Structure formats: C-alpha cells, structure tokens
Amino acid sequence: MESNSKAGKHGLEGDVDLQFLLEGGELMKIKSSWKNNRFYKLQDDCETIWHESHRIFKRKQTFSIDEIDSVRKGRQSEGLQKHTEAHVEDRCFSIIFKGRRRTLDLVAASGEEARQWVNGLEKLTSNRRKLNRQQTSEHWIFNCMRKADKNKDNMMNLKELKHFLRQINIEVDETYANMLFAKCDTSNSGTLEGAEIKQFYDLLTHREEIDVIYRKYASTGGQMSVKDLLNFLLNEQRESATLEDAVRLIEKYELDDSAKQINHMTKDGFLMYLQQEEGSIFNPAHKEVFQDMSQPINHYFISSSHNTYLMEDQLKGPSSTEAYIKALMKSCRCVELDCWDGAQGEPVIYHGHTLTSKVLFKDVIKAIKEYAFKTSEYPVILSLENHCTLEQQKLMAQHMRSILGSALLTTPLEDQMPTAFPSPQELKGRFIIKGKRLNKLDAVFSSISPGEEDDCVSEEDEAAETNNSKTDSNGQKAKAKKSKIKLAKQLSDLVIYCKSVHFSDFEHAKHNQAFYEMSSFKESKAVNLAETAANAFIHHNMTKLSRIYPAGSRTASSNYNPVPLWNAGCQIVALNFQTPSKEMDLNQGRFRSNGLSGYVLKPDFQRYAGSEFNPVTPTKGPWIKHKTFHVMVISAQQLPKLNKDKPKSIVDPLVKVEIYGVAADTSSQETYSIENNGFNPMWNQMFQFDIQVPELALVRFLVEDYDSTSQNDLIGQYCLPLTSLQNGYRQVPLLNKRGDVIPSAGLFVHLMLLDAK
C-alpha cells in the first residue's frame, strides 16, 4: 500500500496515530459565527491533509503538513476559549499555520481522538522538519517529477518533461529540451522510464562546481581518501581538523558502504557533507549557548518586541495571544503589554484610541506563562504600558502573581540593596516587570516603607510620547488625555529591576538615576543620540538599560533600522515582530547565535568603563580589528518560483551580499542577474569587504528576482553575525520573508574572513 511506504519514509510505518490520521474522522470546526462537523483525513502521500467543504466555490480542500507551524492541545486559542465550554477542554486542539493563515480550531468526538490527532500531526510536522533539513536534491526533484507525471503512469513524455523543467524553475529552449530527451530515451519509446529517468536526473543535477573541488582533492583512485579529506578541511575550510574528524565525516555522510569500509568519501558523500550542518555557513558551536551568561543583564543585547499583541497594523488590526506566542517562540525576551480598563472589571490589552481588537490581560499572561521558556530558558521582561484605573491595576497585579507564581520576580535576588543587575544565568526562568514604581527600590529593605498607599506618578514614558504623535483610525491626531496616572501599590511593588523613568540627558542620568531606573526612547530621539552622542549613550548603557520603540507614525507596523542602536549599546531595541522586513531579518540574524537564547553578550568595548569607542567615527582602539572578508558567490540551487499561478514564469536571480555594522563597515555588493534559471544558476563572482569592527557586523545574503521595470522581488535571504560564520566552501540556507526555511533552496559560496595585511 502506497501510504505504508510513505509512512516508512517518515520513519512512522506501523505508527498507530498515523494510521488513525490516514483513516480520518469527523471533527467540529469552530469559527466565530458557526460550528460545523467536517471530515478530515491524512492523504496517502502522508504530506497533505484533506478536509470536507460545503462551500460550492471552495478552491482548495487540502493543506500541506509543511504549512503547519504548531499543534496545540486544549482550549489554548482565543477562538476555542470564546466559543467552547470548559468541559470540552480535553477534546479541543488548534492547528497554527505559518504566515497569516488563520488558526484552525477543532473539537474531536473524544479526548482520546483529540490526543491521536495531536500526536499524529506533531509526529508528522517533526519528521517533515527533519526531512526538510536533510532533504537532498534527489528527493526534491523526484517529488517534482511525480507531480509532472500527469497521467500517473511512471513515465515522462516530452510534454511532461517540459512541464517538469518549468516546475523546478528552469527555462530551456525547445532544441535543448528535445536533445536532453532524445539522449535519455535509449529505448526510443517516446517516453522516459526507469533507468532513463535516472540518467535524466544525473544529467540535470550534475554540479560542475562540486566536480572541480572534488577532483582537486580526490587523489586516491579517483576518490577522496581520509587524508585527502583532511587536506580539504585544513586548506579550504580552515578548520583545525584532525584525522579523527575526517573519519567521523566519512562515517556520518558517506552513502557507499564499500567506500566507507576503506575510509574513502565519494563525490555523493562529499556533496552530502557540504549540504549538512558541518558544511553550513553558520558555526554549529554557536547553535548552543556559548557566551558568558554571568554578566549583568544590561551587558547583553535583548531580543525585544513592540506592541507585541498586534498581528497586523497599529490602527485596525487584530490583537491576539497568538502574537505573544509567536514572538516568544522566536526567542523574544521582552514583550509589551498595553493595558486598559475592560468590561466586567477585567483589564484588556489593545492599542488605545484605535480600532484594534481587544484581548483579556489574564489570557495574555496565561499564554506568556505557557510559552515563555520553550525556546529559551533565559528571563522574560514584561514591559507594561499602564492606562488602567486603580481597581483594574490591582487585578493586573493579582493575575500576574497567581498565574506566573514563583517565576514572577517580586523581590531583589540579593538580601541587601543591590548596586547592579543580576545576570541572565541568575534570572533563568523568571519574569521581570518593567513599569512605574512609587518609590525607590531600597524601600524593599526598609522596616518602615514609604509609599504604603496608592499614589500618582507621571506618564511621560512611551504612553505619553506616543499619545502625542498617535493617530486614530481616521488619521486624526489623538490628544494626550493626561500627564499623570494613579498607580496601585500592588502593581508598583512588582517592579524591581526595571523602573520606568523619564530621560532628561546623560549627565542628569549619571548623577540622579539608579541602575534599575530605565528610560524608553522613541526611535527619532534614540537615533539622534546615537549619531550625536554615541559614546555617552554607550557609557549610559554600561550601567543602565535602554528601551527603543518605533515612531507612532509607523501605523502600518513598519520597522526602523536597529543596527545603529545596537552600535550605541542599547539593549532593548523593540521591533514590530509581525512585519516581515529587512529590519526583522537583521534582528533574526543578530539573535541567531548563542543558542537562540534571546541574549547576546555585547563586545567588551561596549562594557568597560574606560572605553572611548564611537561607532560613528571609530578611531584607534581595541575595537578596531581590521579584517578582509572575501566572498565568492558560486551558485544557487532550487530557488522557489514566485508566481506559481503562471506555469511559464521563471525567476531571473541575482545575489546581494550586505554588511551591516558601524557606518564605516556598512556596504553592499551584488552579482549580475541570470535569466530564466532558478534551478541551478551559477555566478562565480568574487567580492571583497574591508571590516573595521567585526564584532558588531552582520552579513546578509539576499537573493532577488531581477525586474528591469519595477522593484526586485525577494526570493530568499539569510543573515548572521560575521563572527558566527565558517570559512571555506559553505552552503547558505535561504529563508522566506517570514523567516521560515525554504526546503532544498540554498546558495553555495566560498568565504574567507582574514586579518587584513
């Protein structure tokens, strides 16, 4: 049975949960306006879910396992919480999709059936991700061949061959297609089958650039011996490799058992190595936490989100707990909660004075509790923007204490008044509240604590500044309603290490601001300070935390460039996580290293008191480590088609290599475009970049579809810290605009980051 062989490919042959999905069953689909039973089943390809639809013009009744981001058991989505009763908790589950596709909320007939659906789908998604990481060109191409075989006879005629070539994003002229077909059709049957298809595959996937490298080092009977492989690792990859390392690679990646037995690596094994983790551009050691995590928390860049609750724009879009979950799962460590009075006495979160929807404060806290530490175990900062009345503030404090429990930091870690921040290591698994506080932190250690009652505090933080520049849903300026708010002591007492205060100037902050008192800067003010007083900003951030947030005019949830703020030592550079953008690519690149912990240790010249470092005009100093970065863009493989609705649409790819860092290092170079070839374009173009401050530099590879009449379209991108890349021949994975890996697609490059002469 075909489904059994497909299950075996996924490593799930005979799995009870998978068999349950293949048989399918009725599930109740929950939407805000209705609840209806629908039949769902896993198709025999074990890669697609089919579902019944009663809509006459429903175009698509399937979705791919690859489209699933996660599966959540129970009433965890807002839809299920609003439209189902608590007693069906164990029968509920939600399918969360990548991108902006709406969550699918479902209720099974029993708790056991819900468990089997969740277990089965989780096994499939986990295995698909594993396969996508390991997927070879052969698997991808044969999958496309299967789709091109329209009549399912396991043979390809000339028409199907041409359709297949367009499907894999390569345009060939009629003569070449006919020649290729004739060369492989050794039986003269007018179709390709069996060994003929294999010959066609070999001709199509032949990679000349790999041949050249392999032949250079394969000096033992046409194959790479273990010593040949070691020479390659030492000479090209610049690795401090040993003979044991070469043996390990042969054992791990060689496909031919006879070659493996004599410690040889064939060309196929060599290609397999280059396409896996050891051959990747990203240093595998940096996939784990490798930095010192015992420094004060303000010595780290901290992955941070602005108006985290929003799924789309700042004026009319939905607010959702899902936005918090997505940000936290991307290792965001500082999330924002914009709190207002809600109905029935329950505080809500939404973008005040706009038409954005509202979500209950307590539901957000529950979601944060559930997902805060799944990707990273390091502390999460809850940045409160408080607009609530006293009674609802007290309820906020109560919800946080009851839901977050002992993970909520309610007193300093020290037994006496601290003089500096604790470290991420000391704060593992803890929640830190950022907000207004009625008194100084030392009041915690005083026997007679001042400020025992609720009192007024100024509202000159982001709330006031954004209110002054905020537009409502009609584009009109919203007036700031007040400059002072009444603050409940219960809420005030939860603010320990992140007390929000107004920023006047660096000199005033130096002499009057305690280490735990932090300021928020709107982007224009922060950028101005980073340009005109960068060294003073750096010194300010050596002892304090700074939070930067987007201008109120960014109503479409666009982003600003975070790099100049990181250069000035700012830790909490908050971005709109929901918006795909170059700025979010840079954020993802900055926090890709150090085990996706959401914390990256700042360079020492941004941490030690005597530093004269100025990123605007970096002069002589220990931060100047002149490097020459040589990049050869060799080729790309299996770039996705952008316009899948037009079968004859083929991309014209070009590659940009961009450096982001201090102003002197920021630059970009690009290849020429290659017409009508997204399958295996080859450039062999070399670039050179001179880098002064490598510790602050990011490198971004950008693949675009060239268009002479309009803006180029993004095909894929990948960003990482310059200090996290590996030298030599490397594979660069490509991510789509939302930061998800594009299976099988990649760049092949040669890199050398060397000390400048």
Side-chain angles (χ1 to χ4, degrees):
M1 209 179 136
E2 188 189 359
S3 58
N4 281 334
S5 64
K6 292 290 183 183
K9 182 194 76 173
H10 286 268
L12 295 171
E13 189 169 1
D15 184 271
V16 176
D17 294 325
L18 190 68
Q19 292 305 317
F20 175 79
L21 265 61
L22 286 164
E23 291 171 15
E26 278 210 345
L27 294 168
M28 183 182 289
K29 182 178 178 180
I30 307 294
K31 296 189 79 172
S32 58
S33 55
W34 53 261
K35 302 176 183 180
N36 280 312
N37 287 334
R38 297 282 186 267
F39 190 84
Y40 288 78
K41 79 179 292 288
L42 177 65
Q43 293 192 307
D44 287 343
D45 62 5
C46 292
E47 297 175 1
T48 315
I49 299 288
W50 177 88
H51 57 91
E52 180 184 16
S53 175
H54 296 171
R55 286 167 61 184
I56 298 171
F57 298 108
K58 180 77 171 176
R59 286 179 60 196
K60 194 177 178 186
Q61 289 180 238
T62 62
F63 58 84
S64 166
I65 297 297
D66 281 333
E67 294 176 60
I68 298 175
D69 182 71
S70 60
V71 185
R72 300 195 190 129
K73 192 168 188 325
R75 297 166 64 245
Q76 293 197 45
S77 73
E78 287 168 36
L80 287 172
Q81 287 171 0
K82 285 180 183 176
H83 305 298
T84 62
E85 301 298 325
H87 70 270
V88 297
E89 175 81 30
D90 68 330
R91 293 164 48 199
C92 296
F93 67 97
S94 300
I95 299 175
I96 316 300
F97 294 98
K98 297 171 183 175
R100 292 194 173 181
R101 180 169 177 165
R102 288 182 180 175
T103 296
L104 180 57
D105 290 325
L106 299 165
V107 181
S110 69
E112 176 58 21
E113 286 192 15
R115 185 195 66 77
Q116 286 192 278
W117 274 104
V118 171
N119 288 353
L121 289 170
E122 284 181 340
K123 288 173 186 175
L124 283 170
T125 54
S126 174
N127 276 276
R128 282 299 299 168
R129 287 185 186 120
K130 211 174 291 180
L131 274 173
N132 286 341
R133 283 196 296 270
Q134 299 170 351
Q135 191 176 43
T136 62
S137 299
E138 184 171 1
H139 176 275
W140 184 80
I141 290 167
F142 275 117
N143 192 37
C144 290
M145 281 181 172
R146 194 183 76 243
K147 291 177 182 175
D149 181 13
K150 294 294 185 185
N151 57 7
K152 307 301 178 191
D153 60 358
N154 295 320
M155 295 185 286
M156 289 183 72
N157 58 36
L158 183 57
K159 184 179 179 182
E160 288 173 332
L161 173 75
K162 291 174 183 175
H163 176 72
F164 161 71
L165 290 172
R166 283 195 296 270
Q167 200 174 29
I168 63 171
N169 214 355
I170 183 169
E171 183 71 40
V172 295
D173 62 37
E174 198 82 10
T175 307
Y176 180 72
N178 292 339
M179 183 196 75
L180 201 62
F181 188 86
K183 188 171 184 177
C184 297
D185 184 18
T186 52
S187 62
N188 295 316
S189 63
T191 60
L192 303 183
E193 54 185 306
E196 294 171 334
I197 290 179
K198 178 68 168 74
Q199 184 189 1
F200 171 71
Y201 163 77
D202 289 339
L203 283 172
L204 194 67
T205 58
H206 176 245
R207 285 183 60 181
E208 184 184 340
E209 71 274 32
I210 302 298
D211 280 0
V212 170
I213 302 164
Y214 186 77
R215 281 198 305 265
K216 182 179 176 181
Y217 287 93
S219 60
T220 311
Q223 290 185 342
M224 268 190 182
S225 69
V226 68
K227 288 186 177 178
D228 295 337
L229 179 57
L230 180 60
N231 285 338
F232 169 78
L233 296 174
L234 294 172
N235 296 331
E236 299 292 352
Q237 309 299 72
R238 295 296 178 99
E239 296 177 9
S240 55
T242 64
L243 203 61
E244 288 72 26
D245 293 323
V247 170
R248 180 181 57 81
L249 290 178
I250 290 172
E251 186 63 33
K252 189 172 182 180
Y253 295 116
E254 181 50 55
L255 306 171
D256 187 322
D257 287 336
S258 59
K260 192 183 287 188
Q261 284 174 2
I262 57 173
N263 269 340
H264 278 201
M265 182 174 266
T266 63
K267 189 171 67 178
D268 285 344
F270 182 64
L271 179 58
M272 180 70 78
Y273 149 69
L274 288 173
Q275 291 177 331
Q276 300 304 317
E277 188 176 85
E278 278 100 341
S280 170
I281 185 175
F282 187 68
N283 186 344
H286 291 195
K287 289 190 172 183
E288 309 299 327
V289 174
F290 71 96
Q291 294 181 326
D292 177 8
M293 301 301 280
S294 64
Q295 299 286 318
I297 198 170
N298 63 306
H299 284 188
Y300 298 81
F301 298 124
I302 303 172
S303 181
S304 306
S305 161
H306 168 253
N307 285 0
T308 314
Y309 48 90
L310 293 176
M311 297 286 285
E312 296 173 10
D313 64 81
Q314 305 280 314
L315 297 179
K316 299 178 181 179
S319 303
S320 173
T321 55
E322 187 59 36
Y324 286 92
I325 294 169
K326 287 187 174 182
L328 291 166
M329 294 299 285
K330 289 181 178 177
S331 74
C332 176
R333 298 292 87 186
C334 179
V335 295
E336 186 174 10
L337 297 84
D338 200 343
C339 310
W340 299 79
D341 279 0
Q344 287 83 49
E346 280 290 345
V348 295
I349 291 175
Y350 86 114
H351 202 198
H353 309 301
T354 70
L355 296 178
T356 57
S357 66
K358 299 172 183 177
V359 59
L360 288 175
F361 177 84
K362 65 179 179 182
D363 288 346
V364 168
I365 299 300
K366 286 176 185 174
I368 290 172
K369 165 72 172 175
E370 180 72 21
Y371 289 92
F373 304 113
K374 288 189 180 293
T375 301
S376 167
E377 59 187 342
Y378 291 96
V380 171
I381 300 169
L382 307 187
S383 180
L384 301 184
E385 191 177 310
N386 172 24
H387 307 271
C388 292
T389 55
L390 283 175
E391 288 310 307
Q392 295 209 14
Q393 287 180 42
K394 291 172 184 176
L395 200 51
M396 285 167 59
Q398 183 182 320
H399 286 324
M400 287 191 285
R401 281 185 180 272
S402 64
I403 295 167
L404 302 179
S406 61
L408 178 64
L409 196 71
T410 56
T411 58
L413 297 183
E414 302 83 347
D415 294 329
Q416 56 188 12
M417 180 60 196
T419 56
F421 289 102
S423 69
Q425 183 69 29
E426 293 171 302
L427 291 165
K428 267 187 182 179
R430 305 300 295 271
F431 294 100
I432 304 166
I433 305 302
K434 172 195 167 290
K436 294 292 183 182
R437 184 179 170 89
L438 291 169
N439 50 28
K440 294 281 188 181
L441 187 59
D442 54 10
V444 174
F445 300 95
S446 173
S447 57
I448 303 174
S449 178
E452 288 294 334
E453 301 301 326
D454 308 326
D455 203 351
C456 289
V457 290
S458 59
E459 193 194 29
E460 71 279 287
D461 204 3
E462 181 180 348
E465 292 202 39
T466 52
N467 276 343
N468 284 322
S469 61
K470 193 180 287 181
T471 54
D472 63 17
S473 56
N474 297 313
Q476 299 297 312
K477 288 278 186 180
K479 294 179 181 178
K481 293 182 76 174
K482 53 189 176 182
S483 59
K484 284 189 175 287
I485 60 165
K486 194 97 170 175
L487 182 60
K489 183 179 183 297
Q490 290 95 321
L491 191 59
S492 166
D493 286 350
L494 298 182
V495 176
I496 304 299
Y497 290 116
C498 295
K499 178 184 177 181
S500 298
V501 298
H502 176 67
F503 176 81
S504 298
D505 56 64
F506 291 127
E507 195 62 25
H508 179 272
K510 181 179 179 180
H511 297 291
N512 298 284
Q513 201 169 312
F515 79 90
Y516 59 84
E517 294 180 319
M518 63 174 291
S519 300
S520 290
F521 303 80
K522 64 180 174 182
E523 68 173 91
S524 56
K525 185 172 185 176
V527 168
N528 180 57
L529 290 171
E531 289 174 350
T532 60
N535 185 255
F537 214 166
I538 288 169
H539 277 267
H540 175 82
N541 291 320
M542 286 178 187
T543 56
K544 299 169 184 67
L545 284 166
S546 291
R547 176 177 174 272
I548 319 301
Y549 59 91
S553 57
R554 293 186 180 274
T555 55
S557 297
S558 61
N559 279 311
Y560 58 98
N561 182 4
V563 174
L565 289 315
W566 289 327
N567 291 345
C570 299
Q571 303 90 347
I572 302 176
V573 182
L575 298 177
N576 290 308
F577 266 53
Q578 73 273 33
T579 307
S581 59
K582 176 181 72 176
E583 295 80 14
M584 274 306 298
D585 295 345
L586 295 173
N587 194 78
Q588 192 173 16
R590 167 65 71 207
F591 294 101
R592 189 177 305 284
S593 68
N594 207 31
L596 291 177
S597 63
Y599 286 83
V600 171
L601 186 64
K602 295 194 283 186
D604 57 2
F605 53 78
Q606 290 187 323
R607 292 184 278 124
Y608 70 83
S611 176
E612 297 177 5
F613 173 65
N614 187 326
V616 180
T617 55
T619 53
K620 271 191 172 184
W623 45 84
I624 299 292
K625 298 173 183 174
H626 282 292
K627 300 278 184 182
T628 303
F629 183 36
H630 299 277
V631 182
M632 184 178 189
V633 178
I634 302 172
S635 61
Q637 296 77 45
Q638 291 143 44
L639 301 176
K641 290 183 68 165
L642 296 182
N643 194 340
K644 293 182 180 178
D645 293 333
K646 292 185 178 178
K648 294 188 178 181
S649 170
I650 309 292
V651 299
D652 304 328
L654 62 82
V655 180
K656 293 180 180 178
V657 184
E658 303 171 336
I659 305 293
Y660 294 89
V662 300
D665 293 343
T666 301
S667 62
S668 174
Q669 298 185 57
E670 66 184 67
T671 68
Y672 57 87
S673 63
I674 292 178
E675 196 171 339
N676 288 335
N677 187 355
F679 179 69
N680 57 359
M682 190 179 294
W683 293 274
N684 288 316
Q685 273 191 265
M686 294 191 69
F687 305 118
Q688 178 178 315
F689 299 88
D690 296 318
I691 311 291
Q692 293 189 45
V693 189
E695 289 171 277
L696 287 174
L698 298 167
V699 57
R700 180 174 180 246
F701 293 87
L702 180 65
V703 185
E704 293 182 334
D705 181 14
Y706 174 73
D707 193 319
S708 59
T709 59
S710 63
Q711 188 175 356
N712 295 346
D713 292 320
L714 171 73
I715 296 175
Q717 59 80 30
Y718 188 78
C719 183
L720 77 164
L722 189 70
T723 52
S724 289
L725 62 77
Q726 299 194 97
N727 281 328
Y729 288 103
R730 299 295 172 184
Q731 195 74 14
V732 182
L734 291 176
L735 313 180
N736 62 22
K737 66 180 182 179
R738 295 206 161 270
D740 299 317
V741 174
I742 305 170
S744 298
L747 289 175
F748 188 54
V749 298
H750 186 268
L751 309 169
M752 278 293 153
L753 182 62
L754 305 171
D755 292 333
K757 294 180 180 177

